[in-house]
Amino acid sequence: MKYTQLGRTGLKVSRLVLGTMNFGPLTDEADSHVIMNAALDAGINFFDTANVYGRGRNKGRTESIIGNWFAKGGERRDKVVLATKVYGDMGADEAAWPNHDKLSALNIRRAVDASLKRLQTDYIDVYQFHHIDRDTPFEEIWQAVDVLVQQGKILYVGSSNFPGYKIAQANEIATRRGTLGLVSEQCLYNLYERRAEMEVIPAAQEYGVGIIPWSPLHGGALGGVLRKQVEGGRRDEGRAAGGMSGPDVRAKIQAYEDLLDKHGLEPGEAALAWLLTRPGVTGPIVGPRTAEQLESAVRATELELNEELLAGLDEIFPGPGPSPEAFAW
């Protein structure tokens, strides 16, 4: 497994991030533990979760599964760079309840303590804001973060789903306060969806923020969905079902699969390998439901995509180009 530094930190993380959102809803606890063991064996040390993972009335279940895995010992916690998130409503009745969601200082304090309890650890390596909070000023957010860092409950802070201007705003205010600021940003980014290249990724690079793409296979659309349909696999591949509704989209995906067949590559592995070639990317989040899916993702880290293939991928899925030219009429 290849390693890199997370943004402008000294933290060494694997080029793949183990996403855990399927743990609980789709993968039971025993199989989730098997996947985490396999991830460590493969050299993956960066695990990502969120306090709301588990869905519905089971929010927090995913963190609890990870915590139970840590409790098995074997230096599991020491080997993992652990990232979780705060923002979503954690009210038990699933109805919005004041101060049980978003990024107020009060909710951040409550959410950290609850996550630590479920995760059965005394610190979180990367604590991430799951969404922007339009109601809470960054001065308040950073003040709450400073306290948690001083208490040793969190080490670094990241963001998720932030636009470029919010990355800039957050880090400018952090700089004025004399604190480190954001070190990572999780954003939707893959071959099919490249709008992050316009402002999010340039902003992240400018501020030394590592990019951690989520949905690297665009909900399954880049994972060989058409081939699987022909072979009699599942017809709906996650978000791929909705994303494949138009004939132009289907034509693009067919051209993509045909190109990779020509080069003898698996579509899902090539899509991950492409992300690893992109400037500013720390590592894509993979969310395996099975150990076999994890093995496929690991193989992607060893792929070398030649210039002819990269040019072909750009032709099928052209990026928007840099800003402000990308906004030109």
Side-chain angles (χ1 to χ4, degrees), residues 192-215:
Y192 188 97
E193 176 50 80
R194 295 179 60 172
R195 284 177 292 178
E197 294 175 1
M198 294 172 70
E199 292 193 1
V200 173
I201 293 175
Q205 290 181 289
E206 184 72 21
Y207 287 94
V209 172
I211 290 291
I212 306 171
W214 60 266
S215 196

Side-chain angles (χ1 to χ4, degrees), residues 263-309:
H263 287 267
L265 297 175
E266 291 294 322
E269 294 173 15
L272 289 173
W274 177 83
L275 277 170
L276 293 173
T277 71
R278 306 310 297 166
V281 169
T282 294
I285 300 173
V286 296
R289 296 187 301 274
T290 66
E292 290 73 23
Q293 289 179 348
L294 177 66
E295 291 174 5
S296 176
V298 171
R299 288 195 294 271
T301 64
E302 303 302 324
L303 289 183
E304 297 290 340
L305 306 184
N306 61 43
E307 293 301 320
E308 178 189 355
L309 176 55

Side-chain angles (χ1 to χ4, degrees), residues 210-231:
I211 290 291
I212 306 171
W214 60 266
S215 196
L217 304 187
H218 202 60
L222 299 173
V225 63
L226 296 181
R227 179 196 299 175
K228 291 174 184 176
Q229 289 178 8
V230 171
E231 294 173 352

